[in-house]
């Protein structure tokens, strides 16, 4: 499925009203995106099932072809994401010499990208970005940095496209984890790490590995993918997003940490403060995935204004 996005008209007016319609059990935001409403709190209510009728992040239901594909993805990822591989990718993509473009131009590039590691989503990525951002915008109207962080958190998935080297899915998407230390059992499909050569390296197969307790996640190498790439792009292009925004971008796929509580021994005080915002963000990132599409043109002016506030007009990628 392809979603066509027309060029932005600079004199379009931004509709600041978040909720345009209310029903008994749902809210309809700008762009027509339906958000489940909690009867107790009048805020976002996480649904129990994804659009396929399965529990969210269900990696054990192997009956469907899609689930089997997800498991094969993690087998490949766990085998190939080594410390040396991550160092190589960071050196290559840290050059930021693939392209120059704006944030919104990058959003448009994602129209045909589907994340094969995600059992809950089969829509183009731009819809997931806008669904997440619009749901957060409704509940946290004054945190515009968080709205923008939601919009851009997955932009690093352009690594899948030929213009960026066409990396395999296992090198771009999926849950992330530290390399250079033992692979915690909280990682999805942990059994496949037995094929990773780092598991036999005494430098890397202890709890701390090459790190020290409390060293801070900024000093930890994460498995390579869209999270770390977008973090590098934002940081090196001089974004004015707060540190919590960069933390969300870099660690939003670090589910062993923010869902299972693993690897906390590597965190410092700043990480613990930022993790509170990541927990807020994750609820929307995971549970706002929907078959109801956002009207891109209706919400675009608002997000263009945030891009202009926090980023330069053109970025190096």
């Amino acid at each position: 499925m392809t979603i066509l996005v027309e060029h932005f008209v600079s004199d379009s007016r931004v509709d600041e009203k978040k909720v345009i319609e209310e029903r008994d059990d749902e809210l309809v935001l700008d762009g027509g995106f339906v958000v489940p409403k909690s009867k107790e709190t009048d805020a976002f209510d996480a649904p129990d099932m994804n659009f396929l009728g399965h529990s969210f992040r269900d990696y054990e239901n192997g009956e469907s072809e899609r689930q089997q594909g997800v498991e094969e993805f993690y087998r490949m990822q766990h085998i190939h994401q080594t410390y040396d591989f991550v160092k190589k990718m960071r050196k290559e993509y840290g050059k930021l010499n693939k392209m120059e473009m704006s944030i919104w131009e990058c959003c448009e590039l994602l129209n045909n990208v589907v994340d094969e590691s995600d059992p809950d989503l089969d829509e183009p990525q731009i819809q997931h970005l806008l669904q997440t951002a619009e749901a957060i915008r409704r509940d946290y109207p004054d945190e515009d940095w968080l709205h923008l962080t939601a919009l851009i958190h997955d932009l690093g998935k352009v690594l899948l496209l030929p213009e960026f080297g066409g990396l395999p899915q296992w090198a771009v998407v999926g849950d992330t984890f530290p390399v250079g230390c033992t692979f915690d059992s909280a990682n999805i499909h942990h059994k496949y790490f037995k094929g990773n050569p780092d598991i036999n390296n005494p430098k890397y197969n202890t709890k701390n590995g090459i790190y020290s307790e409390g060293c801070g996640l900024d000093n930890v190498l994460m498995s390579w993918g869209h999270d770390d790439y977008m973090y590098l792009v934002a940081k090196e292009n001089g974004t004015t997003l707060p540190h919590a925004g960069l933390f969300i971008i870099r660690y939003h796929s670090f589910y062993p940490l923010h869902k299972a509580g693993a690897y906390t021994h590597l965190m410092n005080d700043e990480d613990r403060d930022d993790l509170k915002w990541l927990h807020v963000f994750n609820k929307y990132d995971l549970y706002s995935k929907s078959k109801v599409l956002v009207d891109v043109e209706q919400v675009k002016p608002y997000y263009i204004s945030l891009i202009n506030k926090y980023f330069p007009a053109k970025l190096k990628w």
Side-chain angles (χ1 to χ4, degrees), residues 224-236:
W224 177 252
H226 71 281
D227 311 61
D228 207 20
Y229 177 58
M230 188 59 210
Y231 165 79
L232 291 174
V233 169
K235 183 180 178 182
E236 296 305 317

Side-chain angles (χ1 to χ4, degrees), residues 189-220:
H189 293 305
H190 180 269
K191 59 187 177 183
Y192 293 121
F193 282 116
K194 65 184 179 182
N196 188 307
D198 286 359
I199 205 167
N200 298 315
N201 189 324
K203 292 191 303 182
Y204 305 147
N205 62 13
T206 63
K207 182 179 179 180
N208 288 335
I210 63 172
Y211 311 112
S212 59
E213 189 164 340
C215 64
L217 294 180
D218 282 348
N219 297 306
V220 174

Side-chain angles (χ1 to χ4, degrees), residues 3 29-33 127 130 134 292-301:
I3 297 176
L29 307 185
D30 291 350
F33 177 52
Q127 281 297 322
L130 288 170
E134 284 292 279
V292 180
L293 304 185
V294 177
D295 184 333
V296 177
E297 288 305 308
Q298 188 169 354
V299 301
K300 183 177 177 180

Side-chain angles (χ1 to χ4, degrees), residues 162-200:
E163 303 95 309
F164 291 81
L167 293 181
Q169 291 261 338
W170 60 260
V172 180
V173 296
D175 289 10
T176 59
F177 48 87
V179 294
C181 60
T182 192
F183 301 116
D184 193 277
S185 60
N187 287 290
I188 292 297
H189 293 305
H190 180 269
K191 59 187 177 183
Y192 293 121
F193 282 116
K194 65 184 179 182
N196 188 307
D198 286 359
I199 205 167
N200 298 315

Side-chain angles (χ1 to χ4, degrees), residues 102-111 126 129 151-152 155:
S102 69
I103 290 289
W104 191 263
E105 286 170 336
C106 189
C107 291
E108 292 175 333
L109 275 183
L110 291 188
N111 280 353
I126 193 171
L129 301 180
L151 178 72
I152 69 172
L155 292 188

Side-chain angles (χ1 to χ4, degrees), residues 223-261:
S223 54
W224 177 252
H226 71 281
D227 311 61
D228 207 20
Y229 177 58
M230 188 59 210
Y231 165 79
L232 291 174
V233 169
K235 183 180 178 182
E236 296 305 317
N237 280 281
T239 182
T240 56
L241 284 173
H243 191 271
L246 292 174
F247 187 92
I248 289 169
I249 290 168
R250 192 179 189 213
Y251 304 113
H252 70 271
S253 300
F254 191 6
Y255 280 89
L257 170 71
H258 59 75
K259 297 299 285 186

